[in-house]
Amino acid sequence: MCNGIRIVATGLDVPEKIMSSEDFEKIVETSDEWIRTRTGIKNRHFLCAGETHLDMAMRAALKAIDSAGIDRQQIGTVLVATFASDQYVPSCAALLQERLGLSEDVLAYDLNAACSGFMFGLESVRGILSVSEKPYALLVGAEALSRRLDMTDRSTCILFGDGAGAAIVEKSDRPAVISCRTRGDITKILVDRYVHMDGQGVYKFAVKEVPKLIEEVLAKAGVSADEVDHFICHQANARILQSVAKSLDQPMEKFYQNLQEFGNTSAASVPIVMAQMNDLGLLKRGERVVLAGFGAGLTWSVATFLW
Ligand code: UT7
């Protein structure tokens, strides 16, 4: 069977500069208390002038490659999930090929599924690995979102942060179930120059659709929510995570949260959680994980496999 995947190793990178909620009190009419109670966010990381999206993607990728201990010439695919990179062309994935010294017979491109980008990338990589001659794919989620924020719009600018997460993925005979969903809707989240969002509309969509899709995917995998060790979810709002946990009748301890320190990093969010948990030794081989992303598009996606 070749439709399974295994995450061999992970890496993450965020810029050094921290923007606290108190910092935002000086920029827009808001308060640390409002942000904390409505979202769970305290800090987020912002790139400084001169720092790049590519630098973050590169550092996260290098950590994943180094920790995998693989020959990087065995990487046949590089996908970068992003909608906020340094430039549209060349792709971040193409530049990673050069910077990482990967061979030229690599399939490298960026993909945009907003906050579900890493998840859509995972499903893409699963298909690609089943026909690829090389055993490994490098999958990165990276966003320089601070450059897409209207710093006069308090309903969005306090939510997002910059960062990158990366994973080395290989084929596995242990099957994975991954479902990706798309519903074209420009009214809930639109990113032109800046991010615009109908926060409540997205909130309602997330708390309705995400648990439903998790249940569908778990049923397809033939396991119950009780058998899942970790729910690795997109970090948009602590209240969304609590609602998903409640719908699934699962304890919050299974839902690792880092939005308090990173905010919403869109496509980087799921791989950053995964990498942080991995660095902390919280993910054990053989454990069952569920990954869940949701966001603009609208897009939403759930995967389950054994770590
Ligand atoms: O990653 C993509 C997916 N995105 C999401 O999942 C986001 C989902 N949505 C959310 O997380 C929440 O809807 C938000 C955190 C964005 C907003 O929370 P909310 O509880 O839905 O607030 P709201 O939009 O209903 O606004 C309530 C009030 C409004 O004031 P009025 O009209 O009641 O006077 C807003 O103007 O809060 C006001 N408000 C703020 N007040 C202080 C909005 N932003 C702020 C702010 N500080 N930063």
Side-chain angles (χ1 to χ4, degrees), residues 184-195:
D185 182 343
I186 205 169
T187 67
K188 301 280 189 305
I189 311 178
L190 165 69
V191 185
D192 43 30
R193 182 162 179 214
Y194 295 128
V195 176

Side-chain angles (χ1 to χ4, degrees), residues 30 34 38-39 115 154 199-200 202 234 236-237 239 264 294:
T30 190
W34 189 96
R38 296 288 182 119
T39 72
C115 302
R154 67 176 182 175
Q200 284 208 10
V202 181
H234 174 47
N237 188 317
R239 289 186 293 135
N264 180 342
F294 57 89

Side-chain angles (χ1 to χ4, degrees), residues 28-31 34-35 38-39 115 154-156 158-160 189 197-204 206 234-237 239-240 264 266 294-296:
V28 285
E29 202 180 321
T30 190
S31 66
W34 189 96
I35 299 172
R38 296 288 182 119
T39 72
C115 302
R154 67 176 182 175
S155 69
T156 53
I158 51 106
L159 298 172
F160 298 95
I189 311 178
M197 185 168 70
D198 163 13
Q200 284 208 10
V202 181
Y203 189 98
K204 286 181 192 149
H234 174 47
Q235 305 283 299
N237 188 317
R239 289 186 293 135
I240 294 178
N264 180 342
S266 190
F294 57 89

